[in-house]
Amino acid sequence: MGCILVLGLFFRLLAAFFSKGFGMIDDHFLIIEQAQSWVDHVNINNWLPQLSKNPTPPGFSYFYTGLHYLLFSLFEKTGIYDPQAKMYIIRLLHAFYSLLTIYFGYRITEKLTNLNYAKQVGLLLAIFWLWPFLSVRNLIEVVCIPMLMWATWLAIKNEKGNFLYYACVGVVLGLAFNIRFQTLFFSAGFILALLIQKRLKQTIATGLGILICATAIQGGIDWYIWHIPFVEFKGYIQYNLQHATDYINLPWYTYLLLFAGVLIPPVSLFLLFGFFISYKKYLLLFLPSFIFLLFHSYFPNKQERFIMPILPFVMMLGTIGWNEFIERKKFDIKFKKTLKYSWMFFFVLNAILLVTISFTYSKRNRVEAMRYLAIKGDVQNLIIENSNNSDGIISPRFYLQKWPLEYFITGNTNLPKVCDSLKTLPDSTRPNYVIFYEGIKLPQRVAAMEHFFDLKYDTIIYPSFIDDLMYRLNPNNDNAVTYIYKITGSKE
């Protein structure tokens, strides 16, 4: 197991040092941006009611973000101010933390089956192409995974544990809940599996442990900030019920297709098959993941990251189930060769993706635009011009090291009205830079802006290779070339 952990750490360290930036909106703007703003005494997104005129619980857990607030506060006290230096440290911490997933996956498989299966599962969890990149991100759907794996390992390690032991199992599941609310469905499956196995005392103890941990942390934080326990959890439920169809609505089988693609076919089909045929023998592994999958398959809003918490369980149980199926059946030499070539294809393609993704600077154009302006040091406020699209693109101001206002120009914006209102602002608060996203119709867009402001071209920021490829494949990815113009004056 030691070699597997070292291998897993090696690629995670590569990602920690070379895969800068952020993966998705949530892993930066709800964690890093939010925490740093509190350190800077700025209440972006109005999460803190004490600094808001009309405070409304945003429906997010403050626990994981709060840990980053403490970490950023420590950085300030120790003289670490550079945003990239802070993120190197944070990615390194997450890289080491993520090794728990490999360790527990190996131990669970070894306990339930044998050493050979454990090595295979450990290797998949160590070098599967997505894990190093995701493991160093601040994505709560991935950060909660070690807690889910830990709780599962504790239950499998000691099936006859006493009441206190299983209360501790519940506490670990409660920690996962405090990071990601939706892991409650995993915990529900966990408790149901114990109940089906007629382990009543352990069922009660686990449920009590979850309740104690959730009340102490989530309830306690909400009481401290809002003076109402679990107000954020309630807000989270209300928001998702009201906006269930506002985002990406896809068919119920979307996540099955996602697993089939991400896990690289045809091996992905073997793993999915192995996962589903193992439901009776490995109920404590299967049922929590299945209920989690069932809920997310039913819920209209489907985003890839939502299903990430159970991906290691699908890989682990899929490997076990498929291997046991192969051993039970007597396949001919031709089929065994097919299996061999399938796994060869898997590892070759996985190696290519692993190296590529582990070196990818994600959202480079947006991060480097802010770093460039930070060096300039004269930013007042910003105009973000994305008129080729209907949505504005939020800037990662964490890297700018200040919190200017952003005025968004989209395809739905009344440009004369917005620009005329901006010209009435005092000189000290007026925007003095325009950031244009995409090169499509750029001369026309610049010319339209020059009806109201004198612009001077400043610089161009390119996305990373993978970001550029993703943009070319689907322009909805906000990874386009970025153009920065300085506003040198206003036109009356």
Side-chain angles (χ1 to χ4, degrees), residues 180-457:
R180 173 67 172 162
F181 288 149
Q182 287 177 332
T183 60
L184 199 59
F185 291 100
F186 184 97
S187 298
F190 194 96
I191 291 174
L192 181 58
L194 293 176
L195 196 59
I196 292 172
Q197 294 172 346
K198 298 180 180 180
R199 298 158 67 180
L200 184 58
K201 289 184 179 179
Q202 293 156 332
T203 302
I204 296 172
T206 302
L208 186 61
I210 295 171
L211 182 61
I212 291 172
C213 184
T215 302
I217 297 179
Q218 185 59 44
I221 292 173
D222 285 358
W223 180 268
Y224 176 77
I225 294 175
W226 294 97
H227 308 300
I228 305 173
F230 291 108
V231 68
E232 291 292 347
F233 182 51
K234 180 182 177 182
Y236 180 79
I237 294 174
Q238 290 176 338
Y239 179 86
N240 280 280
L241 290 176
Q242 293 170 4
H243 301 275
T245 59
D246 292 356
Y247 295 92
I248 303 174
N249 298 310
L250 296 169
W252 65 267
Y253 50 82
T254 295
Y255 289 125
L256 293 177
L257 293 179
L258 176 65
F259 286 151
V262 166
L263 291 171
I264 306 175
V267 166
S268 60
L269 303 180
F270 305 158
L271 296 178
L272 285 172
F273 178 79
F275 174 77
F276 283 108
I277 66 171
S278 303
Y279 69 97
K280 284 187 178 180
K281 188 175 181 180
Y282 303 107
L283 189 66
L284 194 60
L285 278 181
F286 175 82
L287 198 54
S289 300
F290 180 72
I291 288 181
F292 191 91
L293 174 63
L294 197 64
F295 168 77
H296 284 84
S297 296
Y298 168 78
F299 196 72
N301 182 10
K302 292 180 177 63
Q303 299 179 43
E304 295 92 340
R305 59 186 175 86
F306 289 171
I307 207 65
M308 285 297 113
I310 65 166
L311 182 56
F313 291 89
V314 172
M315 296 172 71
M316 178 169 54
L317 189 53
T319 301
I320 294 172
W322 176 253
N323 283 337
E324 290 185 343
F325 172 75
I326 292 299
E327 287 187 357
R328 288 195 305 268
K329 304 294 181 179
K330 302 297 181 181
F331 293 107
D332 57 25
I333 296 177
K334 185 177 180 181
F335 183 78
K336 290 181 178 178
K337 283 186 177 180
T338 301
L339 288 181
K340 179 182 177 181
Y341 291 134
S342 296
W343 280 103
M344 287 175 61
F345 174 75
F346 172 87
F347 280 110
V348 169
L349 183 55
N350 183 79
I352 295 171
L353 292 172
L354 175 65
V355 174
T356 303
I357 299 300
S358 296
F359 283 91
T360 293
Y361 188 161
S362 183
K363 304 295 187 292
R364 182 188 184 278
N365 62 308
R366 294 164 71 176
V367 172
E368 288 301 321
M370 293 298 103
R371 282 172 50 78
Y372 174 82
L373 291 176
I375 294 172
K376 298 278 286 189
D378 61 345
V379 173
Q380 294 173 183
N381 288 313
L382 300 169
I383 296 176
I384 309 298
E385 209 281 1
N386 190 38
S387 60
N388 289 324
N389 301 285
S390 59
D391 297 321
I393 296 179
I394 309 172
S395 302
R397 291 171 291 174
F398 166 77
Y399 293 96
L400 183 57
Q401 296 179 268
K402 60 193 307 185
W403 306 94
L405 295 175
E406 296 176 290
Y407 298 94
F408 297 101
I409 304 296
T410 71
N412 300 324
T413 301
N414 185 324
L415 184 62
K417 182 178 179 180
V418 171
C419 290
D420 285 340
S421 66
L422 292 179
K423 290 193 295 184
T424 64
L425 295 174
D427 290 342
S428 60
T429 61
R430 194 176 298 178
N432 61 335
Y433 282 95
V434 184
I435 298 177
F436 292 89
Y437 284 100
E438 288 188 314
I440 299 174
K441 298 180 181 178
L442 182 64
Q444 297 93 316
R445 292 155 59 199
V446 172
M449 191 68 66
E450 285 181 329
H451 283 299
F452 308 95
F453 301 104
D454 294 318
L455 301 182
K456 179 183 178 183
Y457 169 80

Side-chain angles (χ1 to χ4, degrees), residues 17 88 94 130-131 200 295 318 335 446 479 486:
F17 283 106
Y88 278 127
H94 282 74
L130 263 179
W131 287 137
L200 184 58
F295 168 77
F335 183 78
V446 172
N479 306 324
K486 177 75 179 288

